[in-house]
Amino acid sequence: MPIPTANYLLHANWQLPQTEELSTEQSSWLLETDSLTARLKSRCHLFRLQLLSEQQLALPSLLHKELSCTGTAILREVMLLCDEQPMIYAQSWLPASTLAAIEPLAQLGEQPLGEFIFRHPAITRGPIQLAKLDSRQLALGVACPEARIWARRSVFRLAEYPLQVVEAFLPGIYRL
Ligand SMILES: C=C(O[C@@H]1C=C(C(=O)O)C=C[C@H]1O)C(=O)O
């Protein structure tokens, strides 16, 4: 996935949820506080995580304050599929200091991030922010019947080591 996708997400209009803008199904998925991986697995016969890329980059300055760190980070991009239908495009920033302290995060491969972090004994999660995105700007490489899709982002801290997770929800997820 090209870096422009990361830049587009970084500069989206992230806001705290206004539930009156959301359908019941959208609220249910977008504001899910447990693992999306676990929820998707419970809703489909065949769950698959497609690792799109992992690359080491300078942590964008826009994230320095939010993650209270600087330096480099792994930008991890995945697609989560249910019965071969793309449901969630996820992009996570894993700072080098977090990876050094919690090494399994650097070895995830096709293991879902959620299966690791939601088992961590000292996990905390910051507020969920939402943004309405132009699906064409995401250049996901998959057909998306709707021009505008919801995305969410939040910062997890594992024993105070931060990482940010951004998830774009493809419309099929609301029919699961
Ligand atoms: C945070 C979770 O992990 C999911 C899996 C991800 C990955 O493997 O990179 C990223 C975001 C999530 O969609 C979760 O399951 O809620």
Side-chain angles (χ1 to χ4, degrees), residues 34-38 49 76 78 80 88 90 92 111-115 117-118 152 156 165 167:
D34 199 345
S35 167
L36 282 182
T37 299
L49 182 146
R76 172 181 167 89
V78 303
L80 305 185
I88 289 188
S92 303
Q111 177 200 358
L113 174 65
E115 286 187 351
I117 64 177
F118 280 92
R152 73 178 191 174
F156 290 90
V165 176
E167 294 149 319

Side-chain angles (χ1 to χ4, degrees), residues 73-88:
I74 292 291
L75 174 60
R76 172 181 167 89
E77 298 177 273
V78 303
M79 185 70 79
L80 305 185
L81 300 96
C82 273
D83 302 325
E84 292 306 285
Q85 294 300 311
M87 293 294 165
I88 289 188

Side-chain angles (χ1 to χ4, degrees), residues 4 11-12 19 22 34 44 54 56 60 68 71 85 100 106 113 120 152 159:
H11 293 91
T19 51
L22 306 172
D34 199 345
C44 56
E54 282 190 342
Q56 182 166 1
S68 51
Q85 294 300 311
L113 174 65
H120 196 281
R152 73 178 191 174

Side-chain angles (χ1 to χ4, degrees), residues 8 11 13-14 30 39-40 43 52 59 65 68 87 91 101 104-105 107 111 140 142 149 154 159-160 164:
Y8 174 58
H11 293 91
N13 180 28
W14 296 104
L30 292 165
R39 184 166 171 179
L40 285 176
R43 301 293 183 93
L52 300 173
L59 187 72
K65 183 176 177 196
S68 51
M87 293 294 165
Q91 189 175 98
L105 286 174
Q107 318 292 334
Q111 177 200 358
L140 295 176
V142 296
I149 60 173
S154 59
E160 292 312 305
Q164 186 196 58

